[in-house]
Amino acid sequence: MTPEALKAACLALNGAEETFPFNAETSVFKVGGKMFALSALEGSPLSVSLKCDPDLAVRLRAEHPAITGGWHLNKRHWNTVLLDGSVPAPLVLDMIEDSYDLVVASLPRAQQLRLDWPGVRSRGGEGG
């Protein structure tokens, strides 16, 4: 995956934005003001840190040596993926979407509705 493809995948999600809160080299992708992806797009080797369900995070790390606990992040909830080609691109794209979904699920219902997030429709008429 190229830096351009990574950036495009993150920004393709509803309401996603690229910010630079740490430095000019580190892209932080957020939705609803909360981070779901972090990458130094000009870094070599290219990697991305993504939020992940804790049980899935452990399984992914066991199956893919290029997936490790989040670098400088809570390793229970974040994975860092080395984008060296060893992790299939469809899996990386799924991980980006899963990270986004985990963050959107934590947002207020009104924000979820504004984002037209499919997860909010599956919860039916619940308030929140």
Side-chain angles (χ1 to χ4, degrees):
M1 178 172 281
T2 66
E4 296 78 16
L6 174 59
K7 180 176 178 174
C10 291
L11 292 177
L13 300 165
N14 284 350
E17 64 177 341
E18 180 181 23
T19 65
F20 298 89
F22 304 121
N23 57 50
E25 294 80 35
T26 305
S27 294
V28 175
F29 297 94
K30 295 182 177 182
V31 60
K34 296 185 176 190
M35 179 172 72
F36 70 91
L38 169 78
S39 179
L41 293 174
E42 300 301 319
S44 182
L46 180 63
S47 67
V48 62
S49 294
L50 300 163
K51 196 167 181 94
C52 192
D53 170 80
D55 293 331
L56 178 58
V58 170
R59 285 197 311 270
L60 289 170
R61 291 177 205 157
E63 294 170 11
H64 301 277
I67 300 176
T68 58
W71 187 68
H72 286 297
L73 296 163
N74 181 332
K75 288 170 182 31
R76 178 166 159 72
H77 295 278
W78 289 85
N79 278 337
T80 296
V81 184
L82 179 63
L83 300 174
D84 62 358
S86 66
V87 178
L91 177 57
V92 175
L93 295 174
D94 284 347
M95 292 177 69
I96 292 168
E97 188 173 330
D98 287 350
S99 180
Y100 171 90
D101 285 342
L102 285 168
V103 171
V104 175
S106 73
L107 297 175
R109 181 169 164 67
Q111 271 187 290
Q112 293 172 349
L113 288 168
R114 280 194 299 275
L115 292 168
D116 193 31
W117 183 58
V120 74
R121 292 192 295 271
S122 69
R123 294 194 337 220
E126 293 178 17

